Amino acid sequence: STTSLNGVMNIPFAVITVSEGAVFELGSTTTNTFTFNYATNVIVHQNAVVQDLTIEHKIYYAANSIITIHQGGSFVGSNTIVYTFTSLPAMSNVAANFSIGLSVT
């Protein structure tokens, strides 16, 4: 199954579990960036995928967020850059960033 979110996730602290065989899409071909407004824990299980579909390939995570990719799980993007921020608005309060590249498996 596939779940897609466009633009902003605005749920105070969330745990997102991407189960085996599932795809979790962030953004779309009409979304510039994707922002998790609150600390989020994303868990990607074996044979599951998180995919960056944003135009700019930029994802903003609140500080203290966690991304866990279990063996056999993957993240797919196009030279995606992940930014962490300390307060909203995210783009004005970036604390750090790192490049994921094309994929993490």
Side-chain angles (χ1 to χ4, degrees):
S1 66
T2 300
T3 301
S4 301
L5 291 176
N6 289 321
V8 174
M9 184 167 169
N10 202 20
I11 301 170
F13 195 85
V15 175
I16 298 169
T17 300
V18 186
S19 300
E20 186 170 346
V23 177
F24 182 51
E25 296 176 341
L26 302 176
S28 70
T29 56
T30 61
T31 306
N32 286 333
T33 63
F34 189 88
T35 303
F36 289 93
N37 275 349
Y38 297 95
T40 305
N41 182 0
V42 178
I43 303 166
V44 184
H45 289 279
Q46 182 176 352
N47 298 320
V49 177
V50 172
Q51 186 169 15
D52 170 25
L53 297 178
T54 63
I55 294 168
E56 296 179 19
H57 305 292
K58 295 179 180 178
I59 299 172
Y60 292 85
Y61 278 97
N64 299 316
S65 294
I66 301 169
I67 305 169
T68 304
I69 301 175
H70 289 280
Q71 184 174 354
S74 62
F75 177 95
V76 177
S78 180
N79 295 315
T80 297
I81 300 174
V82 175
Y83 297 88
T84 60
F85 62 91
T86 54
S87 62
L88 293 170
M91 291 179 199
S92 299
N93 295 290
V94 171
N97 70 73
F98 58 95
S99 178
I100 293 179
L102 295 176
S103 67
V104 174
T105 54

